[in-house]
Amino acid sequence: MGHELTAQEKYHLITRNLQEVLGEDKLKAILKEREVKIYWGTATTGKPHIAYFVPMTKIADFLKAGCEVTILFADLHGYLDNMKAPWELLELRTQYYENVIKAMLESIGVPLEKLKFIRGTDYQLSKEYTLDVYRLSSVVTQHDAKKAGAEVVKQVEHPLLSGLLYPGLQALDEEYLKVDAQFGGVDQRKIFTFAEKYLPSLGYAKRIHLMNPMVPGLTGSKMSSSEEESKIDLLDRKEDVKKKLKKAFCEPGNVENNGVLSFIKHVLFPLRSEFVILRDEKWGGNKTYTHYGDLENDFADQVVHPGDLKNSVEVALNKLLEPIREKFNSSQMKKLASSAYPDPSKAKPSAKGPTKNSDPEEVVPSRVDLRVGRVLSVEKHPDANTLYVEKIDVGEPEPRTVVSGLVEHVPKEELQDRLVVLVCNLKPQKMRGLESQAMLLCACSAGEPCQIEPLDPPAGSCPGERVFVEGYEEGQPDEELKPKKKVFEKLQADFQISEASVAQWKGKNLMTKLGNLTCKTLKSGSIR
């Protein structure tokens, strides 16, 4: 930008187009000393749509002003807000948000390396943070917690306790992200004043709060992800953008609640510092505006016609959306989008129908019900010298009986109380008269004689925890794998132990939420 900005110029950039700033004096004082640290959080719930360009444009302003900016993907908040993001979709939605928001920022020319990205669950489940949640809950009144969330947390007939925790977590985020200021829409105001009131009671500093106005939706009232028809999705095709803009409320001469003008004011103007109205020569040809106020006045005086305004916005908007569409055109991104936001019309069939995997016949590892188990007891099979009969807790009310041919390979005391990995949806099989209700997975060395070691789940795992292959977290396991289809056998061919003793399928790690599955000593081999 040529010259170094003065504190005054920085202040102007940080606060332009905002509706309100709480803590102006503090902001001015910090700017005289150093750069300001700001964070913006977004709960990973509904699909982000073009209204997200409004906060993104302010983030661009903050960066131009030299601020250090953190973007928080508030996954835990999405869950706490009436489970807008169900736990099993949370990880996928967070990935979707990360990709989409980075694509939006790149599209408006924001250098990503100047930003910090963090997920709520990266630190909100830590011991210190959790303790602070409890400390906060011992000073906050129910009344204040409820009032704070009123504009943000979905209001329902029987409010859940989670909605009362929401504002407290958001307040603590300011301390744990080590920021001077939090930025958000003015709908967050009650949470912001709640944070200002309560953080000092835990001995933490009161932060600055920067608030954007609630910008009327480009094509409707408040742009929220819940009014599907009107909203322009970031991945909408050009023809959809045109169709939705056609319906946008934009009355000649009316500048009140005009979503089209608001979008120019809050997004297109700050990004380009000018806006061009494209129109036919006979209406006076193109006109470039360098001040938003002049455009608004011309529209009020009906010098600029709604049709031309919409056309010009459509052209500018498609320029912004093009790189995002491009990025999400890959098969990997399409898959992420459809699994994070499953089409409700293709909702899961009845339990008797095929499973939730896209194609019931597709051989993917998520069809296998792999779980952590704990060996409760080990006895020799009464009628077979090479077989053990184990009772194994797999997180169900009753332990399962498992028969495995490990007598010659693993001493009994090594199995007792050990954590193991089991395939839990094979058809139960009689082995020398005793039914085996699961299969214990072991690593086998390549050479002869074959060395065998049971696979080890990560330390601290619990019986019943799901084991999955990296990248296949979302699919549901089959109720029971049909022996004739040989699904497990086909998959088993690609299970192996890596050089680093990690269990893998086609080179992707087998893991639980705590980490990778490993074996004690083998440095390569198969899994069976």
Side-chain angles (χ1 to χ4, degrees):
M1 282 193 94
H3 74 295
E4 185 64 31
L5 296 177
T6 65
Q8 190 50 46
E9 289 169 320
K10 287 179 180 176
Y11 181 82
H12 168 72
L13 264 177
I14 292 170
T15 57
R16 72 169 171 181
N17 284 338
L18 291 180
Q19 180 164 324
E20 191 178 0
V21 178
L22 298 173
E24 287 176 76
D25 296 342
K26 194 170 172 187
L27 179 59
K28 288 176 175 160
I30 293 174
L31 283 168
K32 288 187 181 132
E33 302 286 319
R34 58 172 173 82
E35 307 302 4
V36 177
K37 298 180 174 128
I38 300 179
Y39 100 89
W40 173 73
T42 178
T44 50
T45 52
K47 238 180 182 173
H49 45 88
I50 60 162
Y52 279 66
F53 273 121
V54 177
M56 295 300 119
T57 305
K58 275 313 298 173
I59 286 171
D61 280 346
F62 299 153
L63 288 171
K64 279 181 203 148
C67 303
E68 292 175 28
V69 181
T70 299
I71 290 183
L72 169 69
F73 296 106
D75 46 3
L76 202 53
H77 282 86
Y79 180 67
L80 291 175
D81 187 358
N82 285 277
M83 293 201 337
K84 278 187 190 167
W87 199 256
E88 59 278 9
L89 291 178
L90 209 54
E91 167 64 24
L92 292 160
R93 291 205 172 162
T94 307
Q95 284 177 27
Y96 183 84
Y97 263 72
E98 280 190 38
N99 281 292
V100 140
I101 281 179
K102 286 178 180 174
M104 291 178 85
L105 289 163
E106 285 174 322
S107 146
I108 62 175
V110 170
L112 295 187
E113 59 278 4
K114 290 199 173 162
L115 289 161
K116 275 208 333 230
F117 295 93
I118 188 165
R119 297 176 177 207
T121 48
D122 289 343
Y123 64 92
Q124 288 163 347
L125 302 172
S126 71
K127 191 172 159 185
E128 297 73 19
Y129 188 97
T130 305
L131 192 57
D132 272 344
V133 173
Y134 286 126
R135 282 174 63 202
L136 202 54
S137 72
S138 66
V139 291
V140 171
T141 62
Q142 288 182 19
H143 168 268
D144 281 6
K146 188 174 176 207
K147 194 178 94 184
E151 305 270 324
V152 173
V153 175
K154 187 172 162 190
Q155 298 300 297
V156 290
E157 196 186 344
H158 302 292
L160 298 168
L161 176 60
S162 57
L164 295 175
L165 295 174
Y166 191 107
L169 268 76
Q170 195 168 334
L172 287 174
D173 289 342
E174 300 182 338
E175 172 64 26
Y176 279 78
L177 294 172
K178 300 283 174 247
V179 293
D180 305 305
Q182 182 179 177
F183 162 62
V186 74
D187 57 338
Q188 305 272 337
R189 191 178 198 283
K190 289 179 174 147
I191 291 185
F192 289 171
T193 52
F194 168 91
E196 293 190 12
K197 174 177 175 180
Y198 280 110
L199 275 188
S201 68
L202 296 187
Y204 296 144
K206 180 167 122 178
R207 301 322 208 257
I208 299 160
H209 291 102
L210 309 168
M211 282 166 272
N212 241 356
M214 292 318 286
V215 176
L218 181 48
T219 50
S221 51
K222 173 193 166 185
M223 277 204 186
S224 121
S225 298
S226 2
E227 303 170 4
E228 265 336 301
E229 295 330 294
S230 70
K231 280 189 326 293
I232 297 179
D233 187 81
L234 294 163
L235 307 178
D236 271 351
R237 299 168 320 180
K238 288 186 172 166
E239 45 274 37
D240 300 325
V241 173
K242 188 184 275 302
K243 210 160 62 190
K244 289 180 181 179
L245 266 173
K246 257 207 170 75
K247 294 184 186 159
F249 173 78
C250 184
E251 196 172 69
N254 182 354
V255 296
E256 294 304 312
N257 279 328
N258 184 324
V260 184
L261 274 175
S262 298
F263 194 76
I264 297 173
K265 175 179 179 180
H266 288 280
V267 177
L268 301 173
F269 242 103
L271 291 179
R272 305 273 176 270
S273 318
E274 60 171 42
F275 187 71
V276 183
I277 292 288
L278 309 166
R279 56 185 176 189
D280 215 309
E281 285 303 327
K282 63 178 180 201
W283 304 118
N286 294 354
K287 179 165 183 193
T288 300
Y289 290 88
T290 49
H291 290 286
Y292 172 74
D294 301 342
L295 172 61
E296 194 176 275
N297 293 337
D298 276 2
F299 187 81
D301 300 341
Q302 300 199 25
V303 175
V304 172
H305 181 269
D308 293 329
L309 191 72
K310 284 183 181 183
N311 271 343
S312 313
V313 166
E314 185 190 331
V315 170
L317 180 57
N318 275 319
K319 268 194 191 134
L320 290 180
L321 295 179
E322 205 38 59
I324 303 174
R325 292 185 192 121
E326 193 60 35
K327 178 173 174 177
F328 274 79
N329 215 359
S330 72
S331 56
Q332 194 188 356
M333 286 296 168
K334 282 182 178 160
K335 184 175 176 242
L336 175 61
S338 60
S339 36
Y341 297 95
D343 182 345
S345 64
K346 298 183 182 131
K348 43 184 182 262
S350 69
K352 290 191 177 59
T355 49
K356 278 189 269 186
N357 293 317
S358 47
D359 168 5
E361 295 312 314
E362 199 187 353
V363 180
V364 288
S366 49
R367 291 180 61 185
V368 181
D369 182 359
L370 291 171
R371 288 189 236 166
V372 174
R374 182 183 293 284
V375 181
L376 304 177
S377 67
V378 192
E379 300 298 335
K380 276 210 174 147
H381 193 300
D383 301 322
N385 292 337
T386 58
L387 300 179
Y388 283 133
V389 180
E390 304 111 7
K391 291 268 186 238
I392 301 184
D393 174 4
V394 290
E396 295 167 344
E398 292 298 319
R400 292 198 186 194
T401 302
V402 179
V403 181
S404 15
L406 294 175
V407 173
E408 290 165 6
H409 303 280
V410 185
K412 193 169 151 180
E413 47 283 3
E414 260 186 48
L415 279 176
Q416 183 65 45
D417 296 322
R418 180 178 186 143
L419 285 176
V420 291
V421 179
L422 298 150
V423 182
C424 291
N425 59 346
L426 292 168
K427 192 174 175 188
Q429 245 186 338
K430 280 254 166 88
M431 291 176 79
R432 299 293 288 272
L434 283 179
E435 188 176 72
S436 181
Q437 299 163 333
M439 177 174 144
L440 196 149
L441 285 184
C442 293
C444 313
S445 65
E448 291 293 329
C450 176
Q451 279 178 283
I452 290 185
E453 299 177 356
L455 292 182
D456 290 318
S461 297
C462 298
E465 254 172 51
R466 175 106 193 260
V467 173
F468 53 85
V469 171
E470 221 175 342
Y472 291 89
E473 293 87 341
E474 37 334 337
Q476 290 294 325
D478 291 17
E479 200 68 26
E480 183 179 275
L481 294 169
K482 301 281 173 275
K484 284 198 180 105
K485 300 269 193 233
K486 299 215 178 306
V487 174
F488 182 67
E489 291 75 357
K490 287 174 188 165
L491 290 162
Q492 197 176 8
D494 291 305
F495 279 118
Q496 76 266 354
I497 297 296
S498 74
E499 296 291 327
S501 305
V502 175
Q504 296 184 327
W505 178 78
K506 290 195 171 177
K508 293 185 189 318
N509 294 348
L510 267 76
M511 55 202 303
T512 72
K513 58 176 196 275
L514 296 177
N516 295 334
L517 262 53
T518 52
C519 63
K520 292 242 185 321
T521 66
L522 301 184
K523 295 279 183 251
S524 66
S526 57
I527 295 175
R528 58 180 201 216

